[in-house]
Amino acid sequence: MNEIVDKMNENEIKSIFNKEIFNKTSKIIEEKGLLIENILLLLKRIGHLKVLKGILLYGFEKISLNKIFEKMIIEEEKKKERKNEKLLIDLCECYISLNYLLSPEIVSICVHCLLKVAMRKEENEEIQKEVEMALLELSCIDEFNEIEQELYLTEIKAIIKYHQEYHNLTQLAYQSAWQFLIYRLHTDKSLEEVIANELHFAREATRELEELTKCVDYQIKEEKEKGKNTEEMSLLLRWLQTSGKFLFYCRLRNEEYSVLIESIVKAFREAKDNCRGISSECIESFSNSVNNRNVKVEDLLKRGAVCLILEEIHRPTLNDEMVYESLTFFMNISERMKEKEDFPFEEAKRKRLKRKMFEKMEEEGFEDIITSFYELLDFLNESFHHDLQLDISDYFVDV
């Protein structure tokens, strides 16, 4: 069954594993006395693929099977003797991977349980796979779920630092550890010092992005190599998504910021003709990063992000989402460039940068491009729930 599930595409998974089937399964468990352990392995596999492939399965939290999971997790956690650790781990992995809305009480139990697994340092392949699975499930706990630092910070720091010294984790496990931590920034800004300066996320992400960018073969044709290539592309996409969250949330700037921006530009240039999903993620990262006042516009210009988006916006194959992200990027840059500095030296520097930005946009015929998209602005606002300006002058830097 696992082999069949592995070969399913997104639509097939959504059509088969739906609310109706989950409710029937719950009924069988309740009426026929079927042991929950008999379906846990399959549900774990579904949850695993859901996370890896970025599949959205809504509604699991509303069905009775989920209530069974929650009850079993609480009961197993409360046991003082004869606690079934394996069952508890399986339940926690299923609960996190299949749910969208998570109970704070259950999340606390799951984080504690899965971090115990992730802390294991044995080097055999089976243990490494268990560690990878635990960290992967932790990585999909949404950024809007608030988790107290004492439940995870000491452990996740130890996991990341140990890998940085001994390289004991798989690539996916290491990325997942970082994703879990970066997502906590949304509700806890006190993590910035740890993430930026103690654990050096930007430096680590830069190295991983550059290694994956070199490894992925976008022209691959041999069927036997496609599986590995797909895994590497999926991992590259996850690092880009996490880097985008970091650039958006982390207000504590250091010199590693600009190098990370350059590595995202490199990933875009490698993928732009063959993998529009990766290209789109890069554009979205830059669009979000402009909202962070500690991401310098000068770095975006110097490291190639501005030129990249100006080139991209000329393409006839540009989709609506990338148009939206590109326009948002330039509109936000224009707003940033209009903010006057308090000190004479910084103000002079801002004016020089404005001039460079204006010249670059003028050179690329940016005004004509915006004019061509003018009729689409209402549609883009409606589609992406954002307030793009209708005044063309708002997309330019006033020099």
Side-chain angles (χ1 to χ4, degrees):
M1 181 62 82
N2 280 347
E3 290 179 6
I4 294 172
V5 172
D6 286 349
K7 292 176 181 178
M8 288 181 179
N9 60 34
E10 180 174 345
N11 290 332
E12 289 170 335
I13 289 176
K14 284 183 176 180
S15 66
I16 294 175
F17 299 101
N18 53 38
K19 185 178 178 180
E20 183 181 353
I21 289 180
F22 282 135
N23 279 331
K24 285 181 179 178
T25 306
S26 300
K27 192 173 181 181
I28 292 172
I29 290 171
E30 291 166 352
E31 294 182 356
K32 306 296 183 182
L34 178 70
L35 293 176
I36 193 77
E37 291 91 329
N38 291 338
I39 63 166
L40 268 179
L41 284 178
L42 179 58
L43 290 177
K44 272 182 65 174
R45 195 67 191 170
I46 297 168
H48 181 73
L49 289 173
K50 169 184 173 285
V51 177
L52 278 181
K53 296 184 178 182
I55 299 171
L56 299 177
L57 295 175
Y58 295 115
F60 187 77
E61 62 274 1
K62 297 178 181 178
I63 65 176
S64 56
L65 183 57
N66 190 52
K67 301 303 178 186
I68 295 173
F69 278 7
E70 290 184 342
K71 184 173 180 290
M72 291 182 69
I73 288 171
I74 292 171
E75 289 177 351
E76 202 64 43
E77 174 64 17
K78 285 181 178 177
K79 287 181 181 178
K80 301 297 182 184
E81 297 178 0
R82 294 187 297 175
K83 183 183 293 190
N84 188 335
E85 295 285 356
K86 179 67 169 64
L87 175 61
L88 182 58
I89 292 167
D90 289 343
L91 286 166
C92 288
E93 289 180 349
C94 279
Y95 178 79
I96 290 177
S97 63
L98 293 173
N99 274 290
Y100 180 70
L101 299 174
L102 304 172
S103 155
E105 179 186 7
I106 307 297
V107 165
S108 297
I109 296 171
C110 291
V111 168
H112 174 72
C113 173
L114 296 180
L115 280 174
K116 280 173 62 179
V117 177
M119 289 286 288
R120 299 183 68 177
K121 297 180 175 64
E122 297 94 325
E123 293 185 2
N124 72 69
E125 189 174 340
E126 184 179 347
I127 298 300
Q128 277 196 328
K129 202 65 185 173
E130 290 176 7
V131 169
E132 179 183 88
M133 181 72 81
L135 287 170
L136 180 65
E137 303 307 339
L138 286 169
S139 77
C140 67
I141 298 178
D142 194 87
E143 62 219 84
F144 299 102
N145 289 279
E146 191 169 354
I147 306 173
E148 295 297 325
Q149 277 193 19
E150 56 264 28
L151 289 175
Y152 68 88
L153 187 55
T154 300
E155 290 82 357
I156 204 71
K157 277 173 58 178
I159 289 167
I160 290 172
K161 284 184 173 181
Y162 191 84
H163 176 79
Q164 287 174 347
E165 186 172 356
Y166 297 105
H167 306 288
N168 65 307
L169 299 175
T170 65
Q171 285 182 298
L172 178 58
Y174 187 50
Q175 189 282 328
S176 297
W178 268 118
Q179 184 166 311
F180 170 77
L181 185 56
I182 294 294
Y183 277 16
R184 309 285 71 80
L185 259 178
H186 177 67
T187 55
D188 189 354
K189 293 296 185 287
S190 69
L191 292 169
E192 291 179 332
E193 175 65 35
V194 171
I195 289 171
N197 292 334
E198 184 179 348
L199 298 176
H200 298 279
F201 171 78
R203 181 194 68 194
E204 296 294 297
T206 296
R207 188 191 65 247
E208 297 289 333
L209 282 172
E210 292 189 348
E211 182 178 328
L212 285 165
T213 299
K214 292 174 184 175
C215 287
V216 173
D217 183 356
Y218 298 101
Q219 306 293 335
I220 198 163
K221 292 183 174 60
E222 290 293 328
E223 194 65 37
K224 62 182 179 182
E225 294 294 331
K226 282 184 180 178
K228 184 174 185 298
N229 198 55
T230 302
E231 290 175 13
E232 290 168 339
M233 289 179 72
S234 174
L235 190 55
L236 176 58
L237 189 60
R238 285 173 64 88
W239 272 110
L240 287 169
Q241 291 167 341
T242 308
S243 297
K245 295 290 184 185
F246 170 78
L247 291 172
F248 182 63
Y249 288 137
C250 189
R251 310 290 171 173
L252 189 62
R253 175 184 164 77
N254 60 29
E255 67 281 358
E256 295 168 357
Y257 251 98
S258 63
V259 183
L260 176 58
I261 290 169
E262 187 174 8
S263 71
I264 297 173
V265 170
K266 289 178 182 176
F268 177 92
R269 295 204 178 281
E270 288 294 326
K272 67 177 183 177
D273 293 324
N274 298 287
C275 186
R276 301 301 282 164
I278 288 176
S279 302
S280 181
E281 192 63 46
C282 294
I283 298 287
E284 185 175 349
S285 295
F286 292 135
S287 175
N288 289 335
S289 72
V290 186
N291 291 310
N292 185 345
R293 290 299 188 267
N294 290 298
V295 175
K296 300 296 184 184
V297 174
E298 183 178 15
D299 287 340
L300 292 167
L301 183 60
K302 186 187 298 182
R303 298 291 180 171
V306 172
C307 292
L308 175 152
I309 299 178
L310 282 171
E311 292 170 15
E312 184 64 14
I313 210 166
H314 279 288
R315 291 170 69 103
T317 56
L318 202 65
N319 63 37
D320 294 333
E321 184 176 357
M322 291 178 79
V323 170
Y324 158 74
E325 295 294 351
S326 299
L327 293 179
T328 301
F329 176 83
F330 285 111
M331 186 175 71
N332 289 339
I333 276 187
S334 185
E335 290 301 313
R336 291 275 300 273
M337 289 285 89
K338 292 173 185 176
E339 297 170 354
K340 293 185 178 180
E341 301 287 348
D342 295 330
F343 300 101
F345 173 77
E346 291 295 330
E347 178 61 13
K349 182 178 178 181
R350 179 184 71 90
K351 287 182 177 179
R352 288 195 300 272
L353 184 58
K354 282 178 66 175
R355 169 58 65 181
K356 282 184 182 178
M357 186 68 66
F358 182 81
E359 289 173 352
K360 177 56 69 176
M361 293 164 75
E362 189 176 44
E363 178 185 323
E364 294 294 331
F366 189 62
E367 183 173 356
D368 293 335
I369 293 169
I370 298 302
T371 303
S372 71
F373 287 134
Y374 189 83
E375 296 298 325
L376 285 173
L377 291 178
D378 283 336
F379 166 75
L380 294 171
N381 281 330
E382 183 179 334
S383 300
F384 299 102
H385 313 290
H386 192 70
D387 187 24
L388 290 170
Q389 302 295 323
L390 294 176
D391 186 350
I392 195 168
S393 66
D394 288 323
Y395 293 89
F396 290 87
V397 179
D398 297 323
V399 182

